[in-house]
Amino acid sequence: MAGRDLVPATTKNPPLAGEKPPQGTKTTPALTGGASTLTPLVDHRMHNPVTDHRANTPVADHSLRPSHEHDHVSTMPLSLRPGLTGRSHPMSGERGFFSSDESALNKQIQATHAPDMEDINVRPVLAIIEDILRLARPSAEEHIPTNALATTTHGAQTHPHLEMSADKVSRGAYHDEKPYQTGYRDEKAYQPSYRDEKAYHNTSYLETEIVKILAFPINKVSCEIVCKSAGGGESHQVTMDLLKSLGSYTWDAKIVIAFAAFAINYGEFWLVEHLHTKNPLAKNIATLKDLPDTMAVAGGGELRKQFDAVIDLLTEILKVTHCIIQFKELPPLYINTQSPEITAATAHIPSAVYWSIRGLLVCASTLLNLIGGGHEFMTSTSASWEILNLAHKLKVILDHLQNQMKICKEIIERKKFEDAYIKFKRLLETAHIDNMRVLTELFRFREDQRPLYDGSRRTNEQLTVLKMKYVLLLISDLELPPEELHVLHIIHNERSVRHDYEVLWLPIMAHGSTMTEFDEKKFYDLRNSMPWYSADHPNMVNPVAIRYAREELHFTHRPMLVVLDPHGKLSNHNALPMMWIWGAKAFPFTKDWERKLWEESDWNIELLADHIDPRIQEWINANKVICLYGGDDIVWIRNFTAAARAAARSVGVTLEMLYVGKRNPREKVRQCHDVITRENLSHIFAPEYYDYVWYFWERLASMWNSKKQIGRTVEDDRIMKGILDLLTFDSSEKGWAVFSRGNYEITMGIGEKVLPVVERYAEWAYEVDHPDKFVPVLDKHLSGFHPDHHCHRLILPGQAGYIPETVVCTECGKMMDKFVMYRCCTD
């Protein structure tokens, strides 16, 4: 410490373990009488006399050691006292916290602890301490050390004395706040100080009373520091004495009281330093304390380094203090004080308090004595070394405490999240007057934010625009397929009851992932392409809502359309199948309405394709024969289209043919599409053929899912039987075809049957004596034609939701064998 050189090294005051003895002679001023008297010093290692620079004569060393005849100096201000003496141990982060010596030390520390005071909120006092440190800074900005900028336990980079956000301190380092961190908005980093002028006058009565209650022990400890510093006591013993005097307080109160006691002396000195050029009283005090040229002396060199080191040490003490208070403020509702994570941390808190108070004593002795001798002041190398060692020691302790705090917070966050999730589930199961409470819980946002983005108006909106409406939650990740988005656009634009429901996109990011710049661009591109409402940013979607979507709604990757009724109740876990099948007619998307729609539906061409291509309805109204066909074998397509047209012409039937490709269309389908267009073989979907091909097959899968959800099976439902046949046809290597007269008779067959039958139209054309009989006659011959060999395969979609135990072959009626198939198919 600063006063270490005042006492010779003895068995009671040995050098620091591992410390390199300073070379050469160093001097430290120590006033024992009036302000104008300079105490002569001698280096206790070199025993070299020290010269009084003012008298330019050697001085005797009879004043080196404090004696009882100098007891009257204990009443002098701390800034005029010689430093504490004592030993400090060099710290080693690699050795861990406890050596055998430190274990013994901890027992001594624990022996001083006998709390009998009520738990006190020390945050208001700590806020005042921080303001003192902030305000009592060097008047010349160039003397503020740049390395004193440090990251506090709150995460904001501040100077430990200047910009500590005290309002955060007053709220507590651990509290239930709902931060909105988007990564794309500029957040207001500035937060007003706890003791800003306006806040100062509005400080609560309770906080004021807490400060009053602690004022007496704070001033008592302040006097103890002065007295024991004047006595030149050994630093360990002085620290233990202070701990004994604070034995009735909790650990967080001990360190805050000691810190406040230091801050009083620290602040008094800087108050005089700030005012000595303006106020005559301060000028006189500064003259007696030899202060006028303090900052000029502190402008550089060894003194500047020691000044920086002291501020670094105070910074570590401040961080440790905050961390200790954080442990006390952990919510007991979510973490037991006897849990292993808490006990592992609290075991080190007594040691942290001890070393923090010891550090404060070093700062009191060293920092305030930096300016005690004016131009003649010089510093001690051993004192600087001890300051650095203490700062390192506290950093090691702080690292451990912060690691334990991180573990505790993770436990708390998991439990809080679990409680929030249970609350969210109950919220969805409870009846409400309107849907606002449920909608609010879907998001996390500040009161001044508008969480919705209106894609049609390009504006942000409040949730109230959705009040008392059916809300269709489109849940997806950022890989929303363009074909699905395109079809949703079409359905959204065609709806006739747009005032009754609104679509809201909730983008869900992969679990644990963070938004990259690429993700940001992808999100905004998608959001701006949607004509409905969207969450303004993925980070605004409440994590409990995301978990609910994954666990209760079984969201993985495929988009879902979850329906909330005007009262916030879930009326359909996924209305996309209904949307694909019936479009806006599916409103209000309830199960009862779904059953009613199926009761009104039959297996016909209108159900298969009316919602996909508007030409279908025109052909139906004209009572034309309609043929839908698929496959990716262009040779079969050429032969089939030629034979079908020839058969229709032979009986005077108007035939309209539409190519619908294959499920999971690939390059071959695109090539077939190009050939059909170029050779004018039939009608095709245009212009976005891929989207419509996808839509055709997605509707079939949706029909399958929908039928199964209402309890129907292949055995008792004609529509499910027809869907199963089409899926079987699509799995073959050749093509297939469906024929229908208007919306009446319908027949279909796989490529191995339908092509030979239509090619031999001359054998049955005579039976078609009227155009209306074309499809019934064709159906009869398709049913009667049996190839010599057949091999039918059925590939059900992986997300179909229903896999029948047995499937009957559409050709021969036998049970089909079941296999597990893995396919890699490249065109």
Side-chain angles (χ1 to χ4, degrees):
M1 298 183 189
R4 180 177 171 78
D5 293 317
L6 301 177
V7 182
T10 66
T11 55
K12 291 186 177 181
N13 189 38
L16 291 169
E19 176 186 300
K20 295 181 180 179
Q23 301 297 320
T25 301
K26 299 290 180 182
T27 61
T28 304
L31 299 178
T32 59
S36 62
T37 304
L38 179 65
T39 302
L41 299 181
V42 62
D43 188 301
H44 60 75
R45 293 178 178 85
M46 306 301 296
H47 301 286
N48 291 333
V50 180
T51 301
D52 184 336
H53 297 284
R54 296 178 181 179
N56 198 25
T57 56
V59 234
D61 64 351
H62 61 272
S63 301
L64 282 175
R65 299 175 182 81
S67 64
H68 294 291
E69 59 188 347
H70 295 144
D71 282 348
H72 65 280
V73 300
S74 62
T75 59
M76 297 173 64
L78 181 60
S79 58
L80 302 179
R81 299 310 316 137
L84 286 169
T85 64
R87 61 186 286 177
S88 176
H89 303 280
M91 272 64 65
S92 172
E94 292 78 9
R95 292 181 56 194
F97 284 102
F98 293 108
S99 62
S100 58
D101 290 342
E102 296 238 15
S103 297
L105 174 62
N106 274 340
K107 291 180 181 178
Q108 295 180 46
I109 298 170
Q110 288 283 6
T112 68
H113 189 54
D116 60 2
M117 301 285 292
E118 291 185 7
D119 195 15
I120 300 175
N121 175 22
V122 294
R123 286 286 184 186
V125 179
L126 184 58
I128 296 174
I129 294 170
E130 289 183 306
D131 264 8
I132 290 174
L133 298 177
R134 176 176 63 86
L135 297 170
R137 63 183 187 270
S139 56
E141 290 296 326
E142 62 269 18
H143 299 303
I144 299 174
T146 56
N147 66 345
L149 286 170
T151 302
T152 70
T153 55
H154 302 295
Q157 258 208 347
T158 63
H159 189 291
H161 293 187
L162 309 183
E163 301 298 338
M164 177 66 69
S165 179
D167 70 319
K168 288 184 181 180
V169 174
S170 66
R171 287 183 287 128
Y174 194 89
H175 51 89
D176 185 16
E177 58 180 338
K178 295 172 69 177
Y180 170 49
Q181 298 173 345
T182 65
Y184 75 103
R185 293 181 183 270
D186 292 332
E187 301 288 346
K188 293 183 178 179
Y190 172 77
Q191 302 222 10
S193 169
Y194 180 93
R195 301 284 294 180
D196 280 345
E197 184 177 357
K198 183 177 180 180
Y200 178 83
H201 293 293
N202 293 324
T203 303
S204 70
Y205 172 79
L206 180 61
E207 292 172 344
T208 303
E209 288 302 305
I210 290 173
V211 175
K212 289 181 179 179
I213 291 172
L214 294 180
F216 177 77
I218 288 171
N219 284 275
K220 180 174 177 290
V221 171
S222 179
C223 292
E224 285 189 52
I225 292 175
V226 173
C227 293
K228 295 183 184 297
S229 298
E234 197 266 331
S235 58
H236 165 69
Q237 189 57 50
V238 173
T239 305
M240 294 302 298
D241 289 344
L242 288 177
L243 285 173
K244 289 176 184 177
S245 68
L246 296 171
S248 60
Y249 294 93
T250 57
W251 292 109
D252 62 305
K254 294 181 202 289
I255 190 171
V256 169
I257 291 172
F259 211 155
F262 162 79
I264 289 175
N265 294 287
Y266 185 78
E268 285 176 351
F269 164 74
W270 283 110
L271 185 62
V272 172
E273 196 277 334
H274 286 328
L275 298 177
H276 78 278
T277 59
K278 309 171 187 177
N279 187 292
L281 177 60
K283 180 179 179 181
N284 289 329
I285 294 174
T287 301
L288 293 178
K289 289 188 176 185
D290 198 10
L291 298 181
D293 298 322
T294 295
M295 296 315 302
V297 174
E302 292 298 322
L303 187 56
R304 170 64 179 272
K305 293 179 181 178
Q306 191 165 7
F307 184 81
D308 291 353
V310 166
I311 292 185
D312 287 343
L313 178 55
L314 287 175
T315 300
E316 296 306 318
I317 296 171
L318 193 59
K319 291 180 182 179
V320 169
T321 304
H322 276 294
C323 199
I324 291 172
I325 296 174
Q326 284 182 37
F327 277 106
K328 188 191 76 170
E329 293 174 342
L330 290 177
L333 180 64
Y334 297 105
I335 189 165
N336 193 325
T337 55
Q338 302 303 317
S339 65
E341 296 79 14
I342 291 289
T343 55
T346 54
H348 298 291
I349 287 179
S351 176
V353 172
Y354 169 85
W355 290 108
S356 296
I357 293 177
R358 188 159 170 172
L360 290 171
L361 293 173
V362 171
C363 293
S365 177
T366 305
L367 181 61
L368 299 183
N369 274 309
L370 284 174
I371 38 71
H375 289 291
E376 291 77 14
F377 180 84
M378 295 187 69
T379 184
S380 165
T381 302
S382 62
S384 298
W385 184 259
E386 185 169 14
I387 291 172
L388 295 175
N389 279 345
L390 280 170
H392 178 69
K393 177 79 175 182
L394 287 169
K395 283 181 181 177
V396 174
I397 293 174
L398 179 65
D399 286 344
H400 176 78
L401 291 177
Q402 287 179 333
N403 287 337
Q404 291 302 124
M405 175 59 69
K406 181 180 179 182
I407 294 172
C408 291
K409 285 186 175 181
E410 288 173 353
I411 294 172
I412 292 169
E413 285 303 317
R414 285 197 298 269
K415 292 183 178 180
K416 290 180 70 175
F417 185 73
E418 190 65 32
D419 284 356
Y421 180 64
I422 294 172
K423 179 181 176 182
F424 183 79
K425 288 177 65 176
R426 289 174 180 169
L427 184 68
L428 292 177
E429 297 167 358
T430 307
H432 305 283
I433 297 176
D434 56 36
N435 56 1
M436 290 308 298
R437 194 173 169 197
V438 173
L439 291 175
T440 301
E441 288 301 317
L442 290 176
F443 298 92
R444 54 177 186 179
F445 58 97
R446 299 188 304 266
E447 292 184 1
D448 62 335
Q449 287 182 307
R450 295 172 179 262
L452 301 183
Y453 179 80
D454 187 344
S456 61
R457 296 184 177 88
R458 298 290 191 268
T459 58
N460 285 85
E461 300 291 345
Q462 297 284 7
L463 288 172
T464 50
V465 298
L466 302 177
K467 186 173 182 179
M468 291 303 292
K469 290 187 177 182
Y470 281 87
V471 179
L472 277 54
L473 302 175
L474 176 59
I475 301 174
S476 78
D477 54 23
L478 299 184
E479 302 298 328
L480 186 61
E483 59 273 13
E484 296 196 36
L485 189 58
H486 175 232
V487 174
L488 278 173
H489 271 236
I490 296 173
I491 297 173
H492 184 267
N493 293 335
E494 291 177 350
R495 63 185 179 143
S496 58
V497 285
R498 94 174 32 244
H499 61 283
D500 288 328
Y501 76 87
E502 298 289 350
V503 178
L504 169 59
W505 180 40
L506 292 182
I508 295 181
M509 299 296 296
H511 180 67
S513 66
T514 55
M515 291 283 287
T516 64
E517 185 177 346
F518 178 76
D519 290 333
E520 293 276 352
K521 183 179 184 305
K522 184 184 293 185
F523 164 74
Y524 286 119
D525 288 345
L526 276 172
R527 191 194 71 172
N528 295 335
S529 69
M530 296 177 177
W532 45 77
Y533 292 104
S534 305
D536 194 40
H537 194 273
N539 287 351
M540 297 185 76
V541 181
N542 196 332
V544 296
I546 295 175
R547 178 180 171 186
Y548 187 88
R550 295 188 187 281
E551 295 185 6
E552 301 296 325
L553 305 179
H554 307 294
F555 170 77
T556 52
H557 175 71
R558 290 178 58 82
M560 304 177 67
L561 198 65
V562 179
V563 181
L564 293 176
D565 70 12
H567 301 284
K569 183 180 178 181
L570 279 174
S571 60
N572 195 323
H573 286 190
N574 188 9
L576 267 184
M578 291 184 69
M579 184 73 85
W580 297 144
I581 300 168
W582 295 289
K585 287 173 59 178
F587 177 81
F589 310 101
T590 63
K591 289 300 178 184
D592 290 341
W593 184 246
E594 185 176 16
R595 291 186 181 91
K596 187 175 188 309
L597 289 173
W598 276 124
E599 290 172 1
E600 298 173 355
S601 301
D602 197 5
W603 180 244
N604 52 41
I605 201 70
E606 185 177 34
L607 177 66
L608 270 179
D610 181 43
H611 293 281
I612 299 176
D613 195 309
R615 292 172 294 184
I616 296 291
Q617 192 60 50
E618 296 176 7
W619 299 338
I620 290 173
N621 295 337
N623 200 34
K624 294 181 178 181
V625 174
I626 303 166
C627 173
L628 304 180
Y629 71 99
D632 58 6
D633 185 336
I634 191 60
V635 174
W636 183 91
I637 290 174
R638 284 193 179 104
N639 293 336
F640 168 72
T641 53
R645 289 190 183 282
R649 283 195 301 268
S650 69
V651 294
V653 170
T654 303
L655 178 65
E656 301 289 354
M657 305 181 72
L658 179 64
Y659 176 64
V660 296
K662 280 182 70 73
R663 186 174 54 184
N664 302 320
R666 293 183 173 85
E667 180 61 20
K668 281 188 177 181
V669 173
R670 188 193 65 79
Q671 293 174 357
C672 291
H673 182 274
D674 292 342
V675 172
I676 293 170
T677 302
R678 184 170 60 252
E679 298 180 10
N680 196 24
L681 301 180
S682 71
H683 296 288
I684 58 171
F685 292 128
E688 296 90 355
Y689 81 93
Y690 181 92
D691 295 353
Y692 291 102
V693 169
W694 168 87
Y695 187 23
F696 176 83
W697 292 101
E698 184 64 24
R699 286 185 76 248
L700 286 180
S702 298
M703 292 178 195
W704 178 271
N705 283 332
S706 178
K707 280 286 187 178
K708 178 56 186 174
Q709 287 174 5
I710 63 174
R712 306 308 295 267
T713 63
V714 175
E715 292 75 18
D716 62 11
D717 193 281
R718 184 183 176 210
I719 294 177
M720 289 192 77
K721 176 66 169 58
I723 295 170
L724 197 66
D725 288 345
L726 280 180
L727 294 176
T728 302
F729 297 163
D730 182 66
S731 301
S732 69
E733 296 180 357
K734 300 294 182 180
W736 57 270
V738 174
F739 289 88
S740 175
R741 179 182 68 85
N743 205 34
Y744 301 104
E745 304 90 5
I746 187 171
T747 187
M748 56 186 173
I750 198 167
E752 291 88 350
K753 290 180 64 174
V754 72
L755 180 57
V757 170
V758 295
E759 284 181 333
R760 300 173 189 173
Y761 67 89
E763 298 176 5
W764 50 265
Y766 69 92
E767 299 180 36
V768 184
D769 55 5
H770 189 277
D772 291 352
K773 292 185 178 182
F774 180 82
V775 174
V777 171
L778 179 59
D779 179 64
K780 183 181 75 171
H781 285 271
L782 285 173
S783 301
F785 182 81
H786 299 287
D788 296 333
H789 171 75
H790 74 272
C791 181
H792 289 181
R793 297 186 299 273
L794 170 62
I795 301 176
L796 291 173
Q799 69 280 0
Y802 164 60
I803 305 297
E805 288 297 324
T806 58
V807 177
V808 176
C809 176
T810 59
E811 177 60 30
C812 63
K814 295 180 180 179
M815 293 292 182
M816 299 179 72
D817 296 326
K818 181 189 290 186
F819 297 90
V820 176
M821 185 183 76
Y822 299 92
R823 181 175 67 176
C824 177
C825 184
T826 58
D827 291 324

